[in-house]
DNA sequence: ATGACTAATAGTCACTACGACTATAAAGAG
DNA sequence: CTCTTTATAGTCGTAGTGACTATTAGTCAT
């Protein structure tokens, strides 16, 4: 890094958040309606400028709270996705944006704030088109989360503190867009030490009909060894 | 992103590169000796300011060429690692740095250039301490590369256009710091369609003694399904 | 040459993980 | 009750892989 030899050009640095959740059996993204130009009236990912005294991670949490009014960010899983720096990605100035993927269980109802006219959970498939290059950021976040489900215990970040194995399986199926065999999924999850741990009191929960399911908590493990690979979409030969 | 409501503070945006290679059975990192303050005389990762008209990726390639004089960047694998944005990571101004992990086969000899007094391949274990937060960036790059070897075909990026399976295995062993069983490694690599393809002419190469090895090229595959997991460092129970 | 040494390649065996199932248990709805 | 629904238990065959042994094809020394 040479500060002295070359004059450096100042950039605006922003954060953008692809916040995902699983509700009603479908993947949803948290979007805001832009109140100002450019792209006023269009939907976009929440985000905003990084302040001089904060890191991108701090800015991400702050902007999320400001723009969507979400107060309970305790269960929020925040993770850097990548940085988008192509010149021209913002029509009026040079903006470098640090993008984050975020997961939230039990999505609370958002409401617009600061410069967001509105904020809403939108089904992933109906989210586009978005302002700026946010279509791509959202797709990158989806891809990254899907990949991380394979070899980490990230799926529990989509679940409330106590959950059933059926709910956990729903997360996988929703993010991957596949169906999984229930007994096999169960066997795999329980065979992975530290992935989930049973809630000891014979606690059970009923979603309606059917046999009540046992409740589990997220365990201390973070990695899945061996991984839980998503089924490859190849047809079997004749 | 709100340009209008809040005044935004300009940041300096830089790139830093953790360039890794495998030589003489050891992992090496490409380092430069800083010519200017701060940290003049200290070793650091190559990098520099992003110009107003280029993306971080473009800046990374340019800075690498400028600072280390490497002319042949054809085999270079460049990949965004993450962005480091903590306030105070640079002693004199607010700098946000987009870090890259890069892999290079057959390391060419570097020489200092622009603001780098010197440039050199340094064995990974003897690389620290580095200027700024580059110790951490280098460690993060190592971790990321090690993980990607498991489930991608990235290892071929460390190898010249034609290589033996022994060389490929050396890459895994060097990055992971483990040893692997040769027949099993071979079986796994050859069983993965598109990982490597044999060079058809009975081409062979001799490194010295022993039976000559067949030559292979990188295949079209990018992902490893199922992955090649590194052995977990757990001792077996009695 | 001849034998020692080295490294690549071939093949075996047992065990684990997992996909595709079938069967049973425990609830609510009619 | 019986039917439906969902959770949970268990079975079977196979692919993948760790730990080996054996063979092949070269160099290096004598």
């Amino acid at each position: 890094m040479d500060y002295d030899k070359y004059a450096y050009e100042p950039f605006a640095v922003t954060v953008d958040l692809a916040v995902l959740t699983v509700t009603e059996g479908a993947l949803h993204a948290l979007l805001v309606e832009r109140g100002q130009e450019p792209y006023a009236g269009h939907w976009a990912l929440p985000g905003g400028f990084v302040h001089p005294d904060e890191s991108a991670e701090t800015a991400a949490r702050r902007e999320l709270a400001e723009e969507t009014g979400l107060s309970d960010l305790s269960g929020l899983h925040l993770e850097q996705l990548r940085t988008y720096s192509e010149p021209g990605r913002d029509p009026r100035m040079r903006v470098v944006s640090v993008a984050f993927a975020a997961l939230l269980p039990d999505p609370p109802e958002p409401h617009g704030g600061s410069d967001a006219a509105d904020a809403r959970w939108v089904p992933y498939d109906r989210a586009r088109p978005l302002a700026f290059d946010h279509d791509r950021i959202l797709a990158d976040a989806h891809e990254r989360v899907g990949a991380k489900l394979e070899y980490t215990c990230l799926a529990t970040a989509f679940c409330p503190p106590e959950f059933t194995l059926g709910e956990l399986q729903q997360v996988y199926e929703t993010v991957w867009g596949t169906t999984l065999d229930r007994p096999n999924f169960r066997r795999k999850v329980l065979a992975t030490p530290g992935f989930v741990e049973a809630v000891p009191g014979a606690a059970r929960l009923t979603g309606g009909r059917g046999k009540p399911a046992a409740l589990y908590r997220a365990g201390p493990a973070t990695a899945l060894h061996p991984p839980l690979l998503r089924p490859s979409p190849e047809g079997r030969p004749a």
Side-chain angles (χ1 to χ4, degrees), chain A residues 105-224:
Chain A
D106 267 342
E109 206 46 48
H111 43 269
S114 73
D115 63 315
D118 196 3
R120 205 174 291 173
W121 290 105
V122 177
Y124 181 83
D125 297 324
R126 266 170 271 152
R128 293 137 215 255
L130 296 175
F132 305 103
D133 52 358
H134 289 186
D135 279 352
R136 185 175 162 207
I137 298 178
L138 184 59
D140 288 349
H142 184 205
E143 167 54 31
R144 171 78 131 270
V145 169
K148 290 206 92 170
L149 288 189
E150 293 194 322
Y151 53 94
T152 71
C153 299
L154 186 63
T156 54
F158 278 104
C159 296
E162 301 193 338
F163 52 87
T164 68
L165 293 187
E167 290 165 355
L168 188 66
Q169 182 175 348
Q170 264 260 320
V171 169
Y172 277 90
E173 293 183 333
T174 303
V175 174
W176 286 349
T178 59
T179 65
L180 299 172
D181 179 83
R182 199 181 276 268
N184 288 344
F185 178 82
R186 173 187 190 73
R187 181 221 285 155
K188 171 69 181 174
V189 170
L190 294 180
T192 303
F195 190 178
V196 298
E197 42 195 37
V199 174
R204 330 201 125 225
L205 166 121
T206 181
R209 5 180 232 274
K211 177 174 173 175
L215 284 178
Y216 293 85
R217 268 195 288 268
T222 60
L224 236 52

Side-chain angles (χ1 to χ4, degrees), chain A residues 14-20 29-34 43-49 59-70 97-100 102 110 113-116 118-121 130 134 137-138:
Chain A
T14 62
V15 291
D16 286 307
L17 289 97
V19 188
L20 300 176
L30 181 58
L31 301 183
V32 299
E33 190 185 357
R34 292 183 52 80
W43 291 82
L45 299 180
F49 286 105
R61 289 197 118 85
R62 177 183 51 72
E63 283 289 345
L64 184 59
E66 281 180 15
E67 285 203 332
T68 67
L70 297 186
S97 182
V98 183
F100 289 82
S114 73
D115 63 315
D118 196 3
R120 205 174 291 173
W121 290 105
L130 296 175
H134 289 186
I137 298 178
L138 184 59

Side-chain angles (χ1 to χ4, degrees), chain A residues 52 77 123 126 210 229:
Chain A
H77 173 94
R126 266 170 271 152
L229 300 177

